[in-house]
């Protein structure tokens, strides 16, 4: 054991030194790694002689204590000139600065009257306060003061090397003060609306930009209140202005956006199931904290995450704490058992925050799990620290990782060391410098070290991955020899081996198979912003909770049964393994699509759909389909498209059924091809049992019924989301070679007839910040055969109106996969197309264009168009495609864009529109 | 020594108007700018060149031990005497590009001079009370001045126009400083507050009120993230420029009034002058005093001091015994005293790139002298 441990240390260290992306970021105990690299028997200085199971503590961002030179001789030369060089920021400074100034660039959209000259610099003297009530005066002054402080911070930080982080901190502070001011009037709707209108009218442009920044930040935290506050001005500015503004406010910017998207976390080996133990009974009144939800989505990059929620009966009245705890432990335990029975081969990992961490530990004592991760472990209790002789936790045999904050109130690093000595299980400790119980670092820490919470979170996640990778790679060996893994054991092993090789031999994270989940947007100001979740695969807490609940309930529905059914339907035989991989993929995809559209937008989009019925635009997104998809599919006038699909995982084999269903349907509306049906089986077993009808029928009722029938693939599983987006992992491709589990990309498209460009903007906005251009080494394989990494998206365009261009770039786009199909850009009656174009070209698109050369063209095109235009952007983790549906007539000609030619991706070409 | 040589040179040969030197009435004991009774005569500002160059040469020619000597002692010699102010001069500053020297005075005007030849360039009129301090913007295009009329003015040096008047202090404004980016100005006042102003709009963004006596000096560090302020209450405070929060307060044991404070060029240390004839170099991050420079006289006025880093590393300060003192920064010994002024040397400034010192004296003298050295 000890020997094995040392080996692992060596491996981990070697890997970490070479690869961990954010490793350099943290003030890591590098010597620890160096020591391990020295000799296989070398021990770090901090290794405990007695507690062999306690691995040396790792620290993240813990500032080393300054060595106090006891004697400062007066004759030590004093250097008054040399300026200590400031460390280069760890994020992409240029990009960070660009997002940082977003509000300044677009401040004009907030003005109610864009033509009027902006208020002069001495606007303050021109504010006419006559008629203001005391409350109004007070509110205005408070807000003004906050904005002035922010202005000072901006000026003072200008040009600083870590200006983006400093700005972020300052904006957060300003937002907090504005929020306090608004809270002081109890968010009185009239007052807040008045304040917003007044500020927009009177503030000078720089101040207004600061105000927008504050709003943007608050919008991420308290969206409803802010929305209410903006209502009145929206009616004044008109739809386009309001949309541009809401787009601007959609998501707070994060300085680290580039780094995080460049460096995706990798999947854990062995495709473990990650059970998240909640730290309390769930309640609708007190929803899970944003931070926990954010972390749930982060963890989903590592493996399938299953939150376990505990519901109290009768709203918890009369339930004691002990009872409640038992209930929580029971819930997790039963979930573990259930998973064991359904997926005997999958490693199970328990993760919990605070109390949830304790629950996880307790369950790990009772049930077999592969590893436990305790985030913000509460070591101290009212009765003193844990670890007494009768503490059941000491009997843990499961490898456990503790992550604690240096400034945690419920824990102390030194007490933790004592505790760890007593634990029999292999255990590791990570101390996050300057962090609290929830592993949030302080503002001072952010400033002094140029960090953001999102960077810290990613580092913590990397530590978790390191730990779990070690545990999993080892345990896989064990598990493989255990009797209960009888079936598919060989294959599994082979695959695991392959995966392990991948992990170790392809250390470069960027080149690993990307998971869509990795495209998490960096969370802006701290990871708590819900908004950031918009792009993350599994972050919708509600969905998840319900899923789990349903899974629990319906455990009696045999998954095997479902599996059978699916298999029959698809007539595809998949190996168990594939099924597993696809299952995971499907889940992701499903969730992704769901979140692709923010809930708030659904209604307006729906309207657009109706309008769109008058148009002839259709877009189709297909995957892995032969280019001759629609011979028979005439574009019906009616169907509007909603689109799309996603899915990708295993390389699908050839010309598949994709075309068939469509032809059958006669309407090429939504086509999705997807994952193996077996995947669906697992899904059903685990997640959707409660809605068997949906999964079996393959179609969930959407608001646009016309779509549904047409898209029904034989075994398709279609879900219409938000009335617009249909996700349908559909027919499986038989015989696809197994490949690493690849989460799917999700493509979502919408066609709107409406004038507003909002959806385009939305689509863009999802992706803007997260796009990074990086040439991927992944070959796009045109052939239908097993192409490991190739994803094909087809955009058979409706013939009459659209020409389609697919750019199969080798650009690696890490974004939320979103495809937006927009029609009538710029042609709309009510909109302010120019303004929006400006926004697009100046801001969003410019950013995009930086990484996707082809896009600039598109934007130019788009801005010049007066006819209905459709732009589809498909941003994926792999070879990305940018599709432009051009106005009628241009159609086929556009197919050959220079960019697309340059790229190796012939597979993604669209058939020219007839 | 050269000190003596310099001392021996005859005073400025220009015809200084026979002035009935009235006893200056200072607005306060610590005031650096004397308030003189109205004096109505004006005369042309001019510089006179010293003829003492030859004397400096021999020292240069002595070859071998020269380098060693150079590291130990400067050989500043008087080159020019700039005459033009009609009242006590309160402050002299070289422009960051090294081209100009600006001087402010109790006669309510600012005069710009050539830094190398002492040539009179222009006069900036506008304040209606004595001016206590001036500072250049980083691009040398603007000046800010602090005046007893409770305002600060931002000047465009090229045109000589006042661009902005910063109003807000409720008492004499005594000191001012641009930040390195020159988008902010800080000012210290007799109203015991420090204000931070936005240059572009001329608005006060923040008022720091943590001193309980007049603020005698304010200064930004080299990257503009910190502000240090010194006050008569004996406390030096370090502020975070972005938030206006006080990060640190430095207090000496017996709490003498702080007359001057300044960051070292790299921002790691602070030079603090106190009215007990002492200059101290502090490592503010550790809160400890590293060096103490004494020997000069400073009990009454807020006298400027400076780091001289163009040749040897010196500390340069005026003194109330009419001399300019130069200390070795490391060894703390006095390496040269410059004699020539006939009143308190209130201000001494060091040229950014050349070994030039400008010194200015109060109302009995009213002149500015340029000194140059080979080291």
């Amino acid at each position: 054991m000890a020997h094995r441990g040392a080996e692992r240390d060596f491996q981990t260290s070697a890997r970490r030194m070479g690869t961990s992306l954010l490793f350099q970021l943290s003030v890591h105990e590098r010597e620890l790694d160096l020591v391990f690299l020295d000799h296989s028997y070398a021990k770090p200085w901090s290794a405990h002689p007695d507690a062999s199971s306690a691995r040396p503590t790792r620290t993240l961002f813990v500032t080393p204590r300054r060595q106090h030179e006891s004697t400062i001789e007066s004759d030590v030369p004093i250097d008054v000139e040399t300026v200590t060089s400031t460390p280069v920021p760890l994020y992409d400074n240029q990009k960070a600065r660009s997002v940082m100034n977003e509000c300044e660039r677009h401040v004009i959209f907030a003005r109610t009257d864009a033509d009027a000259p902006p208020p002069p610099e001495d606007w303050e003297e021109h504010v006419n306060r006559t008629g203001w009530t005391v409350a109004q005066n007070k509110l205005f002054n408070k807000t003004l003061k906050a904005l002035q402080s922010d202005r000072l911070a901006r000026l003072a930080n200008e040009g600083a090397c870590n200006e983006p982080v400093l700005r972020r901190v300052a904006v957060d502070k300003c937002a907090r003060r504005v929020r306090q001011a608004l809270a002081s009037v109890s968010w009185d709707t009239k007052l807040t609306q008045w304040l917003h209108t007044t500020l927009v009218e009177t503030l000078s442009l720089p101040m207004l930009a600061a105000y927008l920044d504050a709003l943007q930040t608050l919008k991420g935290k308290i969206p409803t209140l802010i929305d209410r506050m903006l209502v009145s001005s929206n009616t004044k500015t008109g739809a386009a202005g309001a949309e541009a503004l809401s787009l601007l406010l959609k998501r707070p910017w994060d300085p680290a956006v580039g780094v995080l998207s460049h460096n995706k976390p990798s999947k854990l080996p062995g495709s473990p199931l990650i059970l998240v133990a909640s730290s309390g009974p769930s309640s609708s009144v007190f929803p899970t904290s944003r931070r926990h939800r954010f972390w749930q989505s982060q963890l989903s990059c590592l493996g399938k995450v299953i939150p376990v929620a505990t519901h109290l009966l009768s709203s918890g009245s009369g339930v004691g704490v002990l009872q409640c705890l038992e209930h929580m432990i029971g819930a997790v335990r039963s979930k573990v058992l259930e998973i064991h029975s359904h997926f005997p081969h999958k490693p199970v990992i328990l993760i919990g925050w605070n109390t949830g961490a304790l629950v996880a530990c307790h369950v790990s004592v009772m049930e077999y799990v592969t590893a436990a991760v305790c985030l913000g472990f509460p070591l101290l209790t009212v009765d003193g620290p844990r670890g007494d002789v009768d503490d059941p936790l000491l009997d843990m045999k499961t490898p456990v990782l503790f992550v604690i904050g240096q400034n945690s109130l419920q824990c102390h690093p030194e007490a933790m060391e004592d505790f760890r000595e007593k634990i029999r299980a292999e255990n590791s400790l990570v101390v996050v410098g300057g962090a609290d119980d929830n592993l949030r670092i302080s503002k001072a820490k952010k400033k002094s070290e140029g960090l953001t919470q999102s960077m810290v979170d990613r580092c913590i996640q990397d530590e978790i991955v390191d730990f779990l990778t070690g545990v999993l790679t080892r345990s896989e060996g064990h598990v493989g020899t255990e009797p209960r893994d009888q079936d598919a054991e060989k294959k599994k092993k082979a695959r695991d081996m392959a995966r392990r090789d991948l992990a170790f031999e392809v250390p470069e994270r960027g080149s690993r198979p990307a998971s869509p989940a990795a495209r998490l947007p960096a969370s802006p100001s701290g990871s708590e912003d819900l908004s950031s979740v918009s792009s993350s695969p599994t972050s919708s807490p509600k969905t998840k909770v319900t899923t789990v609940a349903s899974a629990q309930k319906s455990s009696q529905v045999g998954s095997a049964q479902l599996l059978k059914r699916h298999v029959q339907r698809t007539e595809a035989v998949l190996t168990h393994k594939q099924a597993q991989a696809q299952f995971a993929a499907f889940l992701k995809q499903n969730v992704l699509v769901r979140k692709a559209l923010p809930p708030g937008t659904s209604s307006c989009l729906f309207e657009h759909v109706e309008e769109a019925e008058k148009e002839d635009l259709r877009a189709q997104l297909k995957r892995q389909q032969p280019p001759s998809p629609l011979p028979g599919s005439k574009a019906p006038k009616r169907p509007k498209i909603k689109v799309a699909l996603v899915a990708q995982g295993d390389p699908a084999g050839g010309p598949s059924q994709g075309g068939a269903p469509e032809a059958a349907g006669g309407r090429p509306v939504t086509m999705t091809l997807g994952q193996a049906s077996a995947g669906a089986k697992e899904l059903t077993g685990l997640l959707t049992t409660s809605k068997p009808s949906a999964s079996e029928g393959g179609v969930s009722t959407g608001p646009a019924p016309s779509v549904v029938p047409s898209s029904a693939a034989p075994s398709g599983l279609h879900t219409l989301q938000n009335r617009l987006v249909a996700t349908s992992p559909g027919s499986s491709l038989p015989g696809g070679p197994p490949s690493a589990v690849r989460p799917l990309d999700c493509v979502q498209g919408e066609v709107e007839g409406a004038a507003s460009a909002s959806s385009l903007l939305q689509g863009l906005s999802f992706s803007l910040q997260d796009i990074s251009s990086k040439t991927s080494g992944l070959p796009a394989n045109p052939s239908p055969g097993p192409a490991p990494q190739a994803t094909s998206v087809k955009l058979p365009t409706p013939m009459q109106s659209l020409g389609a261009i697919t750019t199969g770039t080798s650009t690696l786009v890490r974004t939320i996969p979103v495809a937006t199909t927009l029609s009538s850009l710029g042609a709309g009656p009510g909109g302010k197309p120019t303004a929006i174009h400006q926004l697009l070209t100046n801001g969003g698109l410019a950013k995009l264009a930086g990484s996707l050369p082809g896009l600039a063209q598109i934007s130019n095109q788009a801005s010049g168009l007066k006819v209905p235009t459709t732009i589809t952007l498909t941003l994926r983790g792999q070879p990305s495609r940018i599709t432009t549906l051009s106005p009628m007539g241009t159609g086929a000609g556009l197919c050959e864009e220079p960019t697309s030619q340059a790229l190796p991706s012939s597979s993604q070409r669209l058939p020219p529109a007839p | 020594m050269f000190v003596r040589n310099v001392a021996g040179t005859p005073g400025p040969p220009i015809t200084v108007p026979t002035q009935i030197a009235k006893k200056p009435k200072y607005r306060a004991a610590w005031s650096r700018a004397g308030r003189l009774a109205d004096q109505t005569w004006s005369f042309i500002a001019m510089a006179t060149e010293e003829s003492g160059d030859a004397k400096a040469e021999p020292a240069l020619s002595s070859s071998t031990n020269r380098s060693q000597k150079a590291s130990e002692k400067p050989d500043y010699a008087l080159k020019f005497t700039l005459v033009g102010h009609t009242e006590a001069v309160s402050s002299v500053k070289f422009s960051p590009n090294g081209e100009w020297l600006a001087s402010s005075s109790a006669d309510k005007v600012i005069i710009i001079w050539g830094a190398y030849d002492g040539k009179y360039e222009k006069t900036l009129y506008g304040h209606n009370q004595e001016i206590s301090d001036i500072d250049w913007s980083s691009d040398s295009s603007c000046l800010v001045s602090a005046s007893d009329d409770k305002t600060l003015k931002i000047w465009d040096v090229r045109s000589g126009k006042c661009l902005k008047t910063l109003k807000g202090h409720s008492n004499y404004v005594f000191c001012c400083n641009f930040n390195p980016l020159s988008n902010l100005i800080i000012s210290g006042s007799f109203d015991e507050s420090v204000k931070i102003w936005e240059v572009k709009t001329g608005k006060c963004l923040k008022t720091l009120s943590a001193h309980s006596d007049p603020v005698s000096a304010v200064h930004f560090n080299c990257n503009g993230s910190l502000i240090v302020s010194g006050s008569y209450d004996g406390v030096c405070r370090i502020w975070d420029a972005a938030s206006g929060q006080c990060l640190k307060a430095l207090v000496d044991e017996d709490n003498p009034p702080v007359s001057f404070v300044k960051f070292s060029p790299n921002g790691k240390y602070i030079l603090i002058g106190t009215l007990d004839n002492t200059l101290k170099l502090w490592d503010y991050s550790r809160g400890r005093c590293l060096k103490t420079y004494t020997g000069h006289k400073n009990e009454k006025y807020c006298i400027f001091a400076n780091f001289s880093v163009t040749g040897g590393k010196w500390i340069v300060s005026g003194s109330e015994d009419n001399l300019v003192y130069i200390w070795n920064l490391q060894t703390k010994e006095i390496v040269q005293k410059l004699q020539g002024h006939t009143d308190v040397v209130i201000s001494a400034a060091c040229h950014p790139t050349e070994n030039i010192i400008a010194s200015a004296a109060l109302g009995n003298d009213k002149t500015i002298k340029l000194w140059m050295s080979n080291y």
Side-chain angles (χ1 to χ4, degrees), chain A residues 66-84 86 121-125 148-149 151-160 173 177 206-207 443 447, chain B residues 164 179 181 183-184 196 198-201 203-206 222-225 240-245 264-269 281 285-286 288 290-291 307 309-310 313 329-330 332:
Chain A
R66 184 188 292 133
Q67 313 285 344
H68 280 288
E69 308 95 290
S70 47
T71 55
I72 292 195
E73 300 82 19
S74 51
D75 49 342
V76 169
I78 291 175
D79 180 2
V80 294
E81 281 188 291
T82 317
V83 179
T84 331
T86 44
E121 282 166 4
D122 54 345
W123 59 274
E124 239 176 302
E125 280 124 45
Q148 270 175 345
S149 299
R151 181 90 197 127
L152 170 62
R154 278 170 195 247
L155 292 172
N157 295 332
E158 201 176 319
K173 186 179 176 188
R177 294 180 64 172
M207 296 288 268
K443 199 172 71 175
K447 273 190 189 173
Chain B
K164 284 264 181 322
N179 72 341
L181 266 175
N183 55 14
L184 294 174
I196 308 178
E198 179 175 358
V199 171
K200 197 170 151 223
T201 63
K203 292 273 170 246
C204 175
L205 292 175
K206 191 105 190 169
C222 55
N223 65 15
S225 60
D240 176 32
S243 65
Q245 280 172 323
S264 67
N266 63 2
K268 281 183 184 161
Y269 308 100
L281 189 66
S285 58
R286 294 193 198 129
R288 80 166 78 200
L290 301 175
K291 308 272 182 192
F307 293 89
V309 293
T310 48
K313 310 305 170 203
L329 187 141
Q330 306 291 352
K332 302 174 283 184

Side-chain angles (χ1 to χ4, degrees), chain B residues 27-257:
Chain B
R27 65 183 182 222
W30 49 81
S31 167
R32 77 161 68 105
R35 175 193 298 222
L36 296 176
D38 289 354
Q39 293 179 343
T40 50
W41 30 279
S42 62
F43 71 146
I44 299 165
M46 57 182 295
T48 48
E49 185 164 0
E50 295 297 317
S51 54
D53 296 67
K55 289 176 195 159
E57 290 308 321
L60 280 177
S61 57
S62 59
S63 54
T64 48
N65 61 348
R66 188 188 62 178
S67 58
Q68 192 187 353
K69 196 174 165 148
S71 65
E72 289 168 3
K73 309 263 178 180
D75 59 347
Y76 278 99
L78 179 61
K79 295 294 175 187
F80 302 101
T81 298
L82 320 183
V83 180
H85 283 294
T86 59
E87 298 282 346
V89 183
S90 55
S91 172
V92 285
K93 296 279 173 78
F94 284 103
S95 64
N97 64 7
E99 290 280 303
W100 313 110
L101 176 71
S103 62
S104 65
S105 159
D107 59 11
K108 305 166 195 171
V109 300
I110 297 164
I111 298 180
I112 312 288
W113 316 79
Y116 302 107
D117 53 7
K119 187 168 163 281
Y120 167 83
E121 283 294 329
K122 64 179 62 169
T123 304
L124 310 180
Y125 300 93
H127 281 296
N128 46 31
Q129 292 292 329
E130 294 93 331
I131 301 170
S132 291
D133 197 5
I134 45 174
D135 192 43
W136 289 90
S137 65
S138 306
D139 60 357
S140 303
S141 69
C142 289
L143 271 176
V144 62
S145 59
S147 164
D148 284 0
D149 61 14
K150 303 177 188 172
T151 66
L152 295 114
K153 282 182 187 289
I154 302 174
W155 307 85
D156 176 41
V157 176
R158 267 171 75 98
S159 66
K161 294 239 166 61
C162 171
L163 300 175
K164 284 264 181 322
T165 301
L166 316 182
K167 295 175 190 161
H169 280 297
S170 57
N171 205 333
Y172 308 137
V173 189
F174 196 69
C175 45
C176 55
N177 188 222
F178 271 106
N179 72 341
L181 266 175
S182 298
N183 55 14
L184 294 174
I185 287 171
I186 38 172
S187 62
S189 160
F190 271 48
D191 64 12
E192 302 170 5
S193 71
V194 172
K195 281 181 186 287
I196 308 178
W197 310 80
E198 179 175 358
V199 171
K200 197 170 151 223
T201 63
K203 292 273 170 246
C204 175
L205 292 175
K206 191 105 190 169
T207 302
L208 315 174
S209 42
H211 286 295
S212 53
D213 268 313
V215 179
S216 53
V218 285
H219 194 229
F220 272 106
N221 72 344
C222 55
N223 65 15
S225 60
L226 300 175
I227 296 169
V228 64
S229 68
S231 158
Y232 245 71
D233 60 13
V235 182
C236 270
R237 290 185 188 274
I238 311 225
W239 310 82
D240 176 32
S243 65
Q245 280 172 323
C246 180
L247 302 176
K248 204 152 222 167
L250 302 176
V251 189
D252 214 348
E253 288 148 14
D254 41 1
N255 202 23

